[in-house]
Amino acid sequence: MPTGVAIRDPRGQLFDAAERVLLRDGPAALTSRAVTAEAGVAKGVLHRHFADFDAFLADLVLDKIAAVGRQAADLRAAAGTGSVAGNLAAALPGLFSPALLALVRLIIARDELRTRLRAATGSRIPLVSESTAMVRAYLAAERDLGRVAAGADIDTLAPMLIASVQLLFTDAEGTPPDSAAVARVVSAALASAGL
């Protein structure tokens, strides 16, 4: 891009480019040069908006964590409506887009990124921890409404649901599982917890 040309939403443009590189080429190929080339901007644009590349990656993940927070608010708002299994089956696929799964792999692969994110969020595995908290908070809201048994072990059930549905999406090999498969996993997990 020529010098002096204003870029509309440079952060968003760089985040989108990073996701494309990550999805297409994997975590090892994600460099500042690859991101700026994909975005069609000079390398200096990234460094004008972020202290370094790990700061950029941390902000990218924090942006996605904020999106999970918005999904969590929507799911909590659904408490008391529909069915517990139906609400979970509808909400969980949004946590396992190819981009989010790729970001989890990136977090696991990059020690410095993981360290920065833990300092920023307190999460052991950012994105996964927030996703689990989303399900836990929803189940607690449903328990408060009497739609989940008072003695239900939601601290075990929430990570079990996240892990089970994540496996469906991870094993999908390019084609996400259909809604019926997600509903079966959610129903089975809830049934095993006596719900």
Side-chain angles (χ1 to χ4, degrees):
M1 174 159 289
T3 304
V5 175
I7 301 170
R8 178 179 274 168
D9 187 21
R11 291 172 58 90
Q13 190 173 340
L14 291 166
F15 287 170
D16 291 346
E19 286 183 21
R20 288 191 303 272
V21 171
L22 188 57
L23 287 169
R24 183 183 61 236
D25 303 324
L30 194 61
T31 64
S32 60
R33 186 170 309 280
V35 170
T36 54
E38 180 73 23
V41 300
K43 190 172 179 187
V45 171
L46 189 143
H47 296 290
R48 197 170 311 127
H49 294 278
F50 303 93
D52 57 33
F53 191 58
D54 281 318
F56 165 75
L57 293 176
D59 277 6
L60 171 62
V61 175
L62 291 171
D63 185 66
K64 295 303 179 191
I65 288 171
V68 170
R70 291 186 294 275
Q71 287 176 278
D74 291 344
L75 182 58
R76 276 192 314 276
T81 66
S83 71
V84 173
N87 290 339
L88 286 167
L92 288 173
L95 298 173
F96 302 107
S97 70
L100 287 181
L101 290 173
L103 282 173
V104 170
R105 289 190 299 276
L106 177 71
I107 293 164
I108 292 168
R110 293 184 69 112
D111 294 338
E112 175 61 26
L113 174 60
R114 197 169 48 256
T115 300
R116 284 181 189 227
L117 290 168
R118 282 183 183 160
T121 66
S123 300
R124 289 183 44 93
I125 304 175
L127 284 175
V128 175
S129 296
E130 287 78 11
S131 298
T132 304
M134 172 181 137
V135 173
R136 185 181 298 117
Y138 169 71
L139 291 171
E142 291 288 18
R143 183 179 58 199
D144 292 347
L145 293 170
R147 290 173 23 117
V148 168
D153 186 359
I154 61 174
D155 289 330
T156 300
L157 185 56
M160 185 171 77
L161 280 163
I162 290 295
S164 299
V165 175
Q166 183 175 5
L167 283 173
L168 276 180
F169 281 82
T170 302
D171 288 344
E173 295 184 18
T175 304
D178 63 23
S179 58
V182 175
R184 279 192 304 275
V185 167
V186 169
S187 294
L190 292 176
S192 73
L195 303 178

CSV table of all heavy atoms in Angstrom, one decimal, residues 82-108:
chain,number,residue,atom,x,y,z
A,82,GLY,N,-37.0,-22.1,25.9
A,82,GLY,CA,-36.7,-23.3,25.1
A,82,GLY,C,-36.3,-24.5,26.1
A,82,GLY,O,-36.8,-24.5,27.2
A,83,SER,N,-35.4,-25.3,25.6
A,83,SER,CA,-34.9,-26.4,26.5
A,83,SER,C,-33.4,-26.2,26.7
A,83,SER,O,-32.7,-25.6,25.9
A,83,SER,CB,-35.1,-27.8,25.8
A,83,SER,OG,-34.2,-27.9,24.7
A,84,VAL,N,-33.0,-26.7,27.9
A,84,VAL,CA,-31.6,-26.6,28.2
A,84,VAL,C,-30.7,-27.2,27.1
A,84,VAL,O,-29.7,-26.6,26.6
A,84,VAL,CB,-31.3,-27.2,29.6
A,84,VAL,CG1,-29.8,-27.2,29.9
A,84,VAL,CG2,-32.0,-26.4,30.7
A,85,ALA,N,-31.0,-28.4,26.7
A,85,ALA,CA,-30.3,-29.1,25.7
A,85,ALA,C,-30.3,-28.3,24.4
A,85,ALA,O,-29.3,-28.2,23.7
A,85,ALA,CB,-30.8,-30.5,25.5
A,86,GLY,N,-31.5,-27.8,24.0
A,86,GLY,CA,-31.6,-27.1,22.7
A,86,GLY,C,-30.8,-25.8,22.8
A,86,GLY,O,-30.2,-25.4,21.8
A,87,ASN,N,-30.8,-25.1,23.9
A,87,ASN,CA,-30.1,-23.8,24.0
A,87,ASN,C,-28.6,-24.1,23.9
A,87,ASN,O,-27.9,-23.4,23.2
A,87,ASN,CB,-30.4,-23.1,25.3
A,87,ASN,CG,-31.8,-22.5,25.3
A,87,ASN,OD1,-32.4,-22.3,24.3
A,87,ASN,ND2,-32.3,-22.3,26.5
A,88,LEU,N,-28.1,-25.1,24.5
A,88,LEU,CA,-26.7,-25.5,24.5
A,88,LEU,C,-26.3,-25.9,23.1
A,88,LEU,O,-25.3,-25.5,22.5
A,88,LEU,CB,-26.3,-26.5,25.5
A,88,LEU,CG,-26.3,-26.0,26.9
A,88,LEU,CD1,-26.2,-27.2,27.9
A,88,LEU,CD2,-25.1,-25.1,27.2
A,89,ALA,N,-27.1,-26.8,22.5
A,89,ALA,CA,-26.8,-27.3,21.1
A,89,ALA,C,-26.8,-26.2,20.1
A,89,ALA,O,-26.0,-26.2,19.2
A,89,ALA,CB,-27.8,-28.4,20.7
A,90,ALA,N,-27.6,-25.2,20.3
A,90,ALA,CA,-27.6,-24.0,19.4
A,90,ALA,C,-26.4,-23.1,19.6
A,90,ALA,O,-25.8,-22.5,18.7
A,90,ALA,CB,-28.9,-23.2,19.5
A,91,ALA,N,-25.9,-23.0,20.9
A,91,ALA,CA,-24.9,-22.0,21.2
A,91,ALA,C,-23.5,-22.6,21.0
A,91,ALA,O,-22.6,-21.9,20.6
A,91,ALA,CB,-25.0,-21.6,22.6
A,92,LEU,N,-23.3,-23.9,21.3
A,92,LEU,CA,-21.9,-24.4,21.3
A,92,LEU,C,-21.2,-24.4,19.9
A,92,LEU,O,-20.0,-24.1,19.9
A,92,LEU,CB,-21.9,-25.8,21.9
A,92,LEU,CG,-22.1,-25.9,23.4
A,92,LEU,CD1,-22.3,-27.3,23.8
A,92,LEU,CD2,-21.0,-25.2,24.1
A,93,PRO,N,-21.8,-24.6,18.8
A,93,PRO,CA,-21.1,-24.6,17.5
A,93,PRO,C,-20.4,-23.2,17.3
A,93,PRO,O,-19.4,-23.2,16.7
A,93,PRO,CB,-22.2,-24.9,16.5
A,93,PRO,CG,-23.2,-25.7,17.2
A,93,PRO,CD,-23.2,-25.1,18.6
A,94,GLY,N,-21.0,-22.1,17.8
A,94,GLY,CA,-20.3,-20.8,17.6
A,94,GLY,C,-19.0,-20.7,18.3
A,94,GLY,O,-18.2,-19.8,18.0
A,95,LEU,N,-18.7,-21.6,19.2
A,95,LEU,CA,-17.4,-21.6,19.9
A,95,LEU,C,-16.3,-22.4,19.2
A,95,LEU,O,-15.2,-22.4,19.6
A,95,LEU,CB,-17.5,-22.2,21.3
A,95,LEU,CG,-18.5,-21.5,22.3
A,95,LEU,CD1,-18.6,-22.3,23.5
A,95,LEU,CD2,-18.0,-20.1,22.6
A,96,PHE,N,-16.7,-23.1,18.1
A,96,PHE,CA,-15.8,-24.0,17.4
A,96,PHE,C,-15.6,-23.7,15.9
A,96,PHE,O,-15.5,-24.7,15.1
A,96,PHE,CB,-16.2,-25.5,17.7
A,96,PHE,CG,-16.2,-25.8,19.2
A,96,PHE,CD1,-17.4,-25.9,19.8
A,96,PHE,CD2,-15.0,-25.8,19.9
A,96,PHE,CE1,-17.4,-26.2,21.2
A,96,PHE,CE2,-15.0,-26.0,21.3
A,96,PHE,CZ,-16.2,-26.2,21.9
A,97,SER,N,-15.6,-22.5,15.6
A,97,SER,CA,-15.4,-22.1,14.2
A,97,SER,C,-14.0,-22.5,13.9
A,97,SER,O,-13.1,-22.6,14.8
A,97,SER,CB,-15.6,-20.6,14.0
A,97,SER,OG,-14.5,-19.9,14.6
A,98,PRO,N,-13.7,-22.7,12.6
A,98,PRO,CA,-12.3,-23.1,12.2
A,98,PRO,C,-11.3,-22.0,12.7
A,98,PRO,O,-10.2,-22.4,13.2
A,98,PRO,CB,-12.3,-23.1,10.7
A,98,PRO,CG,-13.7,-23.5,10.4
A,98,PRO,CD,-14.6,-22.8,11.4
A,99,ALA,N,-11.7,-20.7,12.7
A,99,ALA,CA,-10.7,-19.7,13.2
A,99,ALA,C,-10.5,-19.8,14.7
A,99,ALA,O,-9.3,-19.7,15.1
A,99,ALA,CB,-11.3,-18.3,12.9
A,100,LEU,N,-11.5,-20.1,15.5
A,100,LEU,CA,-11.3,-20.2,16.9
A,100,LEU,C,-10.5,-21.5,17.2
A,100,LEU,O,-9.6,-21.4,18.1
A,100,LEU,CB,-12.6,-20.2,17.7
A,100,LEU,CG,-13.3,-18.9,17.8
A,100,LEU,CD1,-14.6,-19.0,18.5
A,100,LEU,CD2,-12.4,-17.8,18.4
A,101,LEU,N,-10.7,-22.6,16.5
A,101,LEU,CA,-9.9,-23.8,16.8
A,101,LEU,C,-8.5,-23.5,16.4
A,101,LEU,O,-7.5,-24.0,17.1
A,101,LEU,CB,-10.5,-25.0,16.0
A,101,LEU,CG,-11.8,-25.5,16.5
A,101,LEU,CD1,-12.4,-26.5,15.5
A,101,LEU,CD2,-11.7,-26.0,17.9
A,102,ALA,N,-8.2,-22.8,15.3
A,102,ALA,CA,-6.9,-22.5,14.9
A,102,ALA,C,-6.2,-21.6,15.9
A,102,ALA,O,-5.0,-21.8,16.2
A,102,ALA,CB,-6.9,-21.8,13.5
A,103,LEU,N,-6.9,-20.7,16.5
A,103,LEU,CA,-6.3,-19.8,17.5
A,103,LEU,C,-6.0,-20.6,18.8
A,103,LEU,O,-4.9,-20.3,19.4
A,103,LEU,CB,-7.3,-18.7,17.9
A,103,LEU,CG,-7.3,-17.5,16.9
A,103,LEU,CD1,-8.4,-16.5,17.3
A,103,LEU,CD2,-6.0,-16.8,16.8
A,104,VAL,N,-6.8,-21.6,19.1
A,104,VAL,CA,-6.4,-22.4,20.3
A,104,VAL,C,-5.1,-23.2,20.0
A,104,VAL,O,-4.2,-23.2,20.9
A,104,VAL,CB,-7.6,-23.4,20.6
A,104,VAL,CG1,-7.1,-24.4,21.7
A,104,VAL,CG2,-8.8,-22.6,21.2
A,105,ARG,N,-5.0,-23.7,18.8
A,105,ARG,CA,-3.7,-24.4,18.4
A,105,ARG,C,-2.5,-23.4,18.5
A,105,ARG,O,-1.4,-23.7,18.9
A,105,ARG,CB,-3.8,-25.0,17.0
A,105,ARG,CG,-4.7,-26.2,17.0
A,105,ARG,CD,-4.6,-27.0,15.7
A,105,ARG,NE,-5.0,-26.2,14.5
A,105,ARG,CZ,-6.3,-26.0,14.1
A,105,ARG,NH1,-7.3,-26.6,14.7
A,105,ARG,NH2,-6.5,-25.3,13.0
A,106,LEU,N,-2.8,-22.1,18.0
A,106,LEU,CA,-1.7,-21.1,18.1
A,106,LEU,C,-1.3,-20.8,19.5
A,106,LEU,O,-0.1,-20.7,19.8
A,106,LEU,CB,-2.2,-19.8,17.4
A,106,LEU,CG,-1.2,-18.7,17.4
A,106,LEU,CD1,-0.1,-18.9,16.5
A,106,LEU,CD2,-2.0,-17.4,17.0
A,107,ILE,N,-2.3,-20.7,20.4
A,107,ILE,CA,-2.0,-20.4,21.8
A,107,ILE,C,-1.1,-21.5,22.4
A,107,ILE,O,-0.2,-21.3,23.1
A,107,ILE,CB,-3.3,-20.2,22.6
A,107,ILE,CG1,-4.0,-18.9,22.1
A,107,ILE,CG2,-3.1,-20.2,24.1
A,107,ILE,CD1,-5.5,-18.9,22.6
A,108,ILE,N,-1.5,-22.7,22.1
A,108,ILE,CA,-0.7,-23.9,22.6
A,108,ILE,C,0.7,-23.9,22.0
A,108,ILE,O,1.6,-24.2,22.7
A,108,ILE,CB,-1.5,-25.2,22.3
A,108,ILE,CG1,-2.8,-25.2,23.1
A,108,ILE,CG2,-0.7,-26.4,22.6
A,108,ILE,CD1,-3.8,-26.3,22.8
